[in-house]
Amino acid sequence: MTNQADYVEITTLISAYFRTLDDREFAEGWARAYFTDDVRTVTPLGTSRGSEIEQHTQEAIERYARTQHMSSDVLVRTDAASGRNTASWNALMRHVHHDSTLQARGADAQPVFTVGGVFRAELRRTPDGWRIAHLNIAVTWTTGTPPDLPGVTRTAGA
């Protein structure tokens, strides 16, 4: 069982991370406030390790004019035998396409791409507090048209 103070610190970490994404607070080294140096993230856009996460995340967010990330139902668990801490939470992520993207897609372009998913994290206590050591984002559902990704060709109706 996770104690109350750890639960509050971990859920605050998650909320602050989401707010950083939406506020686009990407000063050099921003990820150290949320992740361990050896972090590994697995997202629909690929896998990142360590310092790669800063560029990977910034590129993903900047594909859009605005975003809004919301988390709910955070569950934090501690395995007493291993001392390992995990957290999982539901997320609703809204992404507003750039005007240039909408113009390129034409009159029927959908301005918002919404994703519902589940985040799963492994956490580690560091001298600076709790940090995410592993993060996996699993998409449960989407609405709207996803971004154009390098190397991916969209077919009609997709």
Side-chain angles (χ1 to χ4, degrees):
M1 184 77 167
T2 304
N3 70 46
Q4 183 84 16
D6 287 339
Y7 179 81
V8 169
E9 188 176 339
I10 290 167
T11 57
T12 300
L13 177 74
I14 292 164
S15 293
Y17 168 59
F18 273 13
R19 182 64 54 89
T20 292
L21 299 178
D22 295 336
D23 290 345
R24 297 168 186 242
E25 295 175 353
F26 298 127
E28 185 174 338
W30 68 267
R32 281 185 234 121
Y34 309 102
F35 300 99
T36 60
D37 289 339
D38 62 345
V39 66
R40 179 173 176 261
T41 62
V42 179
T43 75
L45 299 177
T47 299
S48 297
R49 288 182 169 74
S51 62
E52 296 172 345
I53 192 170
E54 288 194 1
Q55 181 178 350
H56 180 102
T57 301
Q58 188 171 345
E59 287 174 359
I61 293 297
E62 289 178 350
R63 285 187 171 95
Y64 304 99
R66 293 176 304 287
T67 61
Q68 185 176 32
H69 293 73
M70 295 170 274
S71 61
S72 68
D73 304 325
V74 177
L75 299 175
V76 178
R77 294 207 166 83
T78 300
D79 180 340
S82 69
R84 189 174 139 208
N85 287 278
T86 60
S88 64
W89 62 95
N90 291 318
L92 180 63
M93 300 158 279
R94 307 236 340 144
H95 309 82
V96 178
H97 289 293
H98 289 284
D99 288 341
S100 58
T101 301
L102 296 173
Q103 289 170 358
R105 290 184 174 172
D108 293 332
Q110 298 169 325
V112 179
F113 174 55
T114 304
V115 179
V118 177
F119 282 64
R120 296 186 194 292
E122 202 170 298
L123 297 117
R124 189 179 312 142
R125 181 179 289 287
T126 73
D128 296 319
W130 286 103
R131 296 294 184 265
I132 299 168
H134 179 79
L135 183 66
N136 183 23
I137 305 168
V139 172
T140 306
W141 58 270
T142 66
T143 62
T145 306
D148 291 325
L149 301 174
V152 176
T153 303
R154 191 177 319 284
T155 58

